[in-house]
């Protein structure tokens, strides 16, 4: 198989060629590795390579819907026993995982050939991928810009056509944001559908889930079919799809009512490209026979952002203390921004944390009221086009103040001084639309329906009711047929 054929095929297409005997898994892997060798120095998407392990697997008997397809894990919560999972953190570099994650076992049972792990910001805590441990990961559409985060390495690798689909995870938009930044499909499943064992049962208070970024809707559907269902460590057993999602993908949905908005409290004036993205999607949906109308935002995204950040900061504090305990490392093992978030988390009182978590009921109720009238909610995925590398670097003056406050353990001053609001503004204002689906546990998908005049992707997001994964995928497939995107690729990926 030559590279020209390889880059045209999605994951299921590659598996079909392997299954039909037209090409071997080993030959496909060699093409993927060659592309990684050539393109990764430009985009910096790999945290580690697993070539020897992959070669052994590709030489054996493989079964499943993705048998023989090269694949990459995200270097966060996706463990292979004996292989380090760094989570973008210096303190964890070189420390092998003790056990293999349930989802990794399921991906391998589906026949995938894992040959590397992709970059992520430290603990997945930003919508960019610029960990100090690995350096910045770059967007194949414009190397000066971010591929998003926290699944930025996976998105960059898929956009560069190194692999057709790659692993991702989403605690506040980390599947959908990088998918939008790189022109890919990114589906976040509803709460609890995809297991997180054996390392956890419901990470980040249930906000987080795992999945993939892909070029085609059918790959995303088939991948969710592979992953759904509880494991021994799951907190509960949610209702599963009553049939494989891939089976009904070609059945177009009935006429839908869809409410759209580009307004957000964190961005009082929506970016023109975000508005164009949503207007283009609304027009396309109308052409397809759906009823589309503008609505008011169902929630206060600024308050939701504060609640999300409160939960996240406490989570960071717990993670850092656990890692220090297990590794014996000190503060030098962690980035300043991470230590700052953890310090803010330690300053959160129990009542404040509980209130932030319980306000999720208000957001669930607000979204449910909208879904009582509209089948889906349509928003931009990004608040603006993919931002430039380094845009979210902590300013030097704030770095100095933060170091002083951390050393003197006076971080409560930061809360009184509005540092939380500064962090909120810097990190969430360019991606204010995605956290709602995490806080409510609802499924959501980002689709690449708009490019800026400069050629940068801008995704749009659809948020559904509980158990609407099938509807989201069927509508996504209808849109994919009406406005195909899979053949669009950056010049770097030619």
């Amino acid at each position: 198989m030559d590279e020209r054929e390889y880059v045209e095929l999605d994951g299921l297409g590659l598996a079909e060629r392997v299954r039909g005997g037209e090409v071997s898994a080993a030959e496909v892997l060699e093409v993927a590795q060659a592309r990684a060798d050539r393109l990764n120095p430009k985009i910096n998407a790999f945290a580690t390579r697993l070539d020897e392990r992959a070669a052994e697997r590709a030489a054996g008997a493989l079964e499943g819907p993705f048998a023989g397809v090269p694949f990459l894990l995200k270097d966060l919560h996706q463990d292979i026993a004996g292989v380090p999972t760094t989570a973008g953190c210096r303190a964890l570099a070189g420390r092998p995982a003790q056990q293999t994650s349930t989802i990794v076992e399921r991906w391998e049972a589906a026949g995938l050939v894992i040959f590397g792990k992709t970059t992520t910001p430290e603990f997945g805590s930003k919508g960019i991928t610029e960990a100090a441990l690995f350096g910045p990961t770059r967007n194949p559409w414009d190397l000066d810009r971010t591929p998003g985060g926290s699944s930025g390495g996976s998105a960059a690798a898929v956009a560069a056509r190194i692999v057709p689909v790659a692993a991702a995870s989403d605690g506040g938009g980390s599947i959908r944001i990088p998918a939008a930044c790189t022109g890919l499909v990114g589906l976040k499943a509803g709460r609890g559908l995809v297991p997180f064992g054996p390392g956890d049962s419901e990470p980040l208070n249930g906000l987080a889930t795992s999945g993939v970024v892909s070029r085609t809707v059918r790959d995303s559907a088939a991948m969710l079919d592979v992953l759904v269902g509880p494991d021994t460590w799951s907190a509960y057993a949610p209702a599963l799809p009553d049939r494989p999602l891939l089976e009904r993908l070609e059945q177009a949905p009935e006429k839908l009512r869809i409410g759209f908005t580009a307004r957000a409290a964190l961005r009082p004036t929506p970016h023109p490209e975000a508005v164009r993205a949503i207007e283009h999607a609304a027009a396309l949906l109308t052409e397809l026979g759906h009823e589309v109308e503008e609505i008011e935002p169902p929630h206060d995204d600024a308050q939701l952002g504060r609640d999300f950040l409160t939960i996240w900061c406490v989570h960071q504090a717990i993670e850092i203390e656990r890692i220090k305990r297990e590794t014996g490392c000190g503060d030098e093992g962690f980035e300043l921004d991470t230590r700052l978030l953890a310090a803010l988390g330690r300053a959160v009182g129990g009542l404040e944390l509980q209130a932030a978590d319980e306000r999720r009921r208000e957001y669930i109720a607000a979204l449910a009221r909208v879904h009582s009238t509209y089948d889906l909610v349509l928003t931009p995925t990004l608040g603006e086009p993919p931002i430039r590398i380094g845009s979210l670097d902590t300013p030097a003056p704030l770095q100095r103040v933060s170091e002083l406050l951390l050393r003197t353990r006076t971080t409560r001053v930061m809360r009184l001084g509005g540092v939380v609001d500064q962090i909120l503004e810097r990190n969430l204002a360019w991606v204010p639309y995605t956290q709602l689906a995490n806080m409510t546990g609802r499924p959501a998908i980002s689709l690449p329906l708009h490019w800026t005049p400069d050629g940068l992707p801008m995704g749009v997001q659809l948020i559904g009711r509980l158990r609407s994964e099938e509807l989201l995928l069927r509508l996504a497939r209808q849109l994919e047929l009406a406005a195909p995107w899979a053949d669009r690729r950056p010049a770097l990926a030619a």
Side-chain angles (χ1 to χ4, degrees), residues 253-260 282 285-286 288-295 369-378 462-465 471-472 475 478:
E254 302 293 332
K255 180 179 179 179
L256 301 174
R257 292 197 72 192
I258 301 170
F260 75 92
L285 287 162
T286 300
L288 291 171
H290 303 295
E291 183 180 342
V292 186
E293 58 189 45
E294 189 167 7
I295 61 172
R369 285 192 291 271
V370 175
H371 278 144
S372 67
T373 302
Y374 300 95
D375 298 293
L376 300 169
V377 175
L378 172 68
L462 290 153
I463 305 172
R465 302 183 181 100
L471 176 62
L472 288 170
L475 180 61
Q478 186 183 37

Side-chain angles (χ1 to χ4, degrees), residues 12 157 159-160 291 302 307 325 337 409 436 439:
L12 291 173
E291 183 180 342
D307 292 336
R325 209 167 45 244
D337 285 1
R409 298 186 179 277
L436 175 63
M439 292 289 275

Side-chain angles (χ1 to χ4, degrees), residues 270-278 384-385 450-453 458:
H271 191 282
E273 287 302 327
V275 174
R276 291 187 189 104
I278 208 71
E384 61 188 276
H450 180 69
W451 269 256
T452 71
M458 285 280 291

Side-chain angles (χ1 to χ4, degrees), residues 109-375:
L112 290 157
V113 179
I114 297 165
F115 74 101
K117 302 188 81 173
T118 61
T119 52
T120 181
E122 190 166 49
F123 303 127
S125 62
K126 294 182 179 179
I128 56 174
T129 303
E130 301 176 25
L133 179 62
F134 299 116
T137 298
R138 299 180 180 276
N139 193 326
W141 292 91
D142 181 342
L143 295 178
D144 290 330
R145 296 182 184 268
T146 184
S150 64
S151 308
S154 288
V158 176
R161 302 299 197 268
I162 293 172
V163 288
V165 57
S169 60
D170 193 317
S174 292
I175 290 174
R176 291 157 288 152
I177 293 167
C181 286
T182 57
L184 304 176
V185 178
L187 171 67
K188 183 200 83 70
R191 182 172 180 171
L193 271 181
V194 179
F196 243 99
D200 210 333
S201 57
E202 273 205 303
L204 199 61
N205 293 29
L207 272 62
T209 190
S210 293
V212 299
V213 287
S214 73
R215 287 172 42 222
T216 64
V217 175
R218 71 173 191 161
D219 270 2
S220 287
M223 279 290 187
L224 190 54
D225 285 333
V226 165
L227 292 178
V228 295
D231 64 7
T232 304
W233 299 272
S234 295
Y236 50 86
L240 301 179
D242 57 9
R243 71 198 76 198
L245 295 163
L246 187 61
E247 283 187 4
R248 296 190 63 194
L249 201 59
E250 300 302 329
Q251 183 178 336
E254 302 293 332
K255 180 179 179 179
L256 301 174
R257 292 197 72 192
I258 301 170
F260 75 92
T261 182
R263 294 193 292 278
L266 286 169
R267 292 191 73 95
T269 303
H271 191 282
E273 287 302 327
V275 174
R276 291 187 189 104
I278 208 71
E279 290 177 344
H280 170 67
L284 182 57
L285 287 162
T286 300
E287 290 174 13
L288 291 171
H290 303 295
E291 183 180 342
V292 186
E293 58 189 45
E294 189 167 7
I295 61 172
E296 292 294 322
H299 69 298
D300 178 355
D301 61 278
Q303 181 60 56
L304 183 145
R306 292 186 192 96
D307 292 336
F308 174 82
L309 191 60
T310 295
I311 294 169
W312 192 279
C313 287
V314 172
H315 174 74
Q316 293 296 286
I318 293 170
E319 278 290 283
I320 283 186
E321 291 308 310
R322 178 185 64 80
I323 293 168
K324 284 182 174 180
R325 209 167 45 244
E326 292 178 358
T327 66
C329 75
D331 286 346
E332 75 284 350
F334 308 93
E335 296 178 16
L336 172 62
D337 285 1
T338 304
R339 290 190 286 124
L340 179 59
L341 290 175
L344 292 169
R346 287 191 293 273
V348 171
L351 291 177
E352 183 181 0
L353 175 61
Q354 186 66 17
D357 193 54
E358 289 196 4
R359 267 192 294 273
R360 291 197 296 173
R361 299 174 189 172
E362 298 175 16
Y363 306 133
I364 289 169
L367 187 54
R369 285 192 291 271
V370 175
H371 278 144
S372 67
T373 302
Y374 300 95
D375 298 293

